[in-house]
Amino acid sequence: QVQLVESGGGLVQPGGSLRLSCAASGSIRSIGAMGWYRQAPGKQRELVAGISSAGNTDYPDSVKGRFTISRDNAKNTVYLQMNSLKPEDTAVYHCNAQVRTYYRNTYMPYWGQGTQVTVSS
């Protein structure tokens, strides 16, 4: 079993900052790529930031320069630093990890429960 537990969401004013954390635990042999996704009401889920096992990052233009993804492999944790937040950033944010367990020989995707980020004055 693998669990991803997210924290750090909340209500902030436009221009503010939040730092999201997602810690993976369970029968983990190794973790490959990790990422953050968000989904707002009436909109399709979109990738916010991705990071490979080697540390290569990927951002869409909508957040580039404002968001930073990082990971701590020793802690099986991925972070998302969000600065200069805008109302359009309001969404439920989910973390994702490609995990190889002790019981499977291939990487499988796991998702966190989601954390609400609301940007409003």
Side-chain angles (χ1 to χ4, degrees):
Q1 286 278 55
V2 176
Q3 300 83 39
L4 302 183
V5 179
E6 300 155 344
S7 62
L11 173 65
V12 296
Q13 294 183 342
S17 298
L18 282 175
R19 186 176 188 245
L20 306 183
S21 299
C22 175
S25 62
S27 302
I28 299 172
R29 187 191 300 271
S30 61
I31 301 179
M34 307 181 80
W36 289 92
Y37 296 76
R38 69 186 181 189
Q39 188 166 26
K43 297 185 66 177
Q44 192 174 8
R45 185 179 66 183
E46 64 175 343
L47 174 71
V48 175
I51 185 167
S52 72
S53 59
N56 304 117
T57 58
D58 185 41
Y59 306 93
D61 290 339
S62 59
V63 308
K64 194 170 298 182
R66 300 188 297 119
F67 291 9
T68 303
I69 188 172
S70 61
R71 63 190 291 168
D72 186 334
N73 292 330
K75 297 181 179 180
N76 290 332
T77 299
V78 63
Y79 306 94
L80 184 66
Q81 179 66 45
M82 303 184 293
N83 299 325
S84 301
L85 284 163
K86 304 174 180 179
E88 50 263 44
D89 295 319
T90 296
V92 177
Y93 286 70
H94 295 263
C95 66
N96 167 269
Q98 300 295 120
V99 180
R100 190 164 67 101
T101 71
Y102 288 107
Y103 308 104
R104 284 181 175 267
N105 199 38
T106 58
Y107 286 94
M108 299 292 292
Y110 289 86
W111 293 88
Q113 79 286 352
T115 185
Q116 177 71 45
V117 172
T118 302
V119 184
S120 176
S121 59

